[in-house]
């Protein structure tokens, strides 16, 4: 099972768990598994069309999945997926 590291702002949707083990043979399936077991996190990761939101960055280990095969990047049992939500706002 791949492991997904949940960023602090999204942990309230996973019962404050920092990591979640998921099923799936690739990044997308792993995220879908996460959304199935923790449905409240789904709207923060996927848009209405079921696509990963554009402001969500995903890493497999230290690699941005955009440099690999995006959401179709294969995962192994010892893979670690990190979700990095964009942070915006502040005072200019």
């Amino acid at each position: 099972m791949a492991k997904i590291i949940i960023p602090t702002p999204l942990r309230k949707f996973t019962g404050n768990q920092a990591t979640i083990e998921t099923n799936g043979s690739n990044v997308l399936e792993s995220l879908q598994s996460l959304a199935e077991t923790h449905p409240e996190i789904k709207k923060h990761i996927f848009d209405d069309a079921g696509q990963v939101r554009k402001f969500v960055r995903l890493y497999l280990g230290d690699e941005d999945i955009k440099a690999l095969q995006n959401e179709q990047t294969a995962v192994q049992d010892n893979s670690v997926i990190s979700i990095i939500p964009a942070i915006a706002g502040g005072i200019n």
Side-chain angles (χ1 to χ4, degrees), residues 1 3-4 8 11 23-24 28 31 34-35 37 40-42 45 47 56 66 69 78-79 84 90-91:
M1 292 184 156
K3 185 183 301 183
I4 299 180
T8 302
R11 290 182 189 165
N23 294 315
L28 179 60
L31 292 172
L34 170 66
T37 57
E40 291 186 25
I41 202 169
K42 183 175 182 178
I45 297 175
D47 63 18
V56 174
K66 292 191 181 299
Q69 295 172 333
N78 60 350
S79 295
I84 311 295
I91 299 172

Side-chain angles (χ1 to χ4, degrees), residues 15-57:
N16 289 320
Q17 295 180 75
T19 60
I20 304 287
E21 290 190 353
T22 63
N23 294 315
S25 62
N26 59 39
V27 172
L28 179 60
E29 289 178 4
S30 297
L31 292 172
Q32 290 170 334
S33 175
L34 170 66
E36 287 174 14
T37 57
H38 299 84
E40 291 186 25
I41 202 169
K42 183 175 182 178
K43 66 182 176 186
H44 299 282
I45 297 175
F46 295 103
D47 63 18
D48 291 339
Q51 302 296 312
V52 175
R53 293 186 177 277
K54 294 186 186 302
F55 59 81
V56 174
R57 303 295 296 231

Side-chain angles (χ1 to χ4, degrees), residues 74-88:
V75 298
Q76 308 298 320
D77 283 347
N78 60 350
S79 295
V80 177
I81 301 166
S82 299
I83 300 172
I84 311 295
I87 305 294

Side-chain angles (χ1 to χ4, degrees), residues 56-74:
V56 174
R57 303 295 296 231
L58 299 165
Y59 287 80
L60 182 65
D62 294 333
E63 296 251 10
D64 186 335
I65 65 164
K66 292 191 181 299
L68 302 171
Q69 295 172 333
N70 281 318
E71 291 90 7
Q72 298 304 315
T73 300

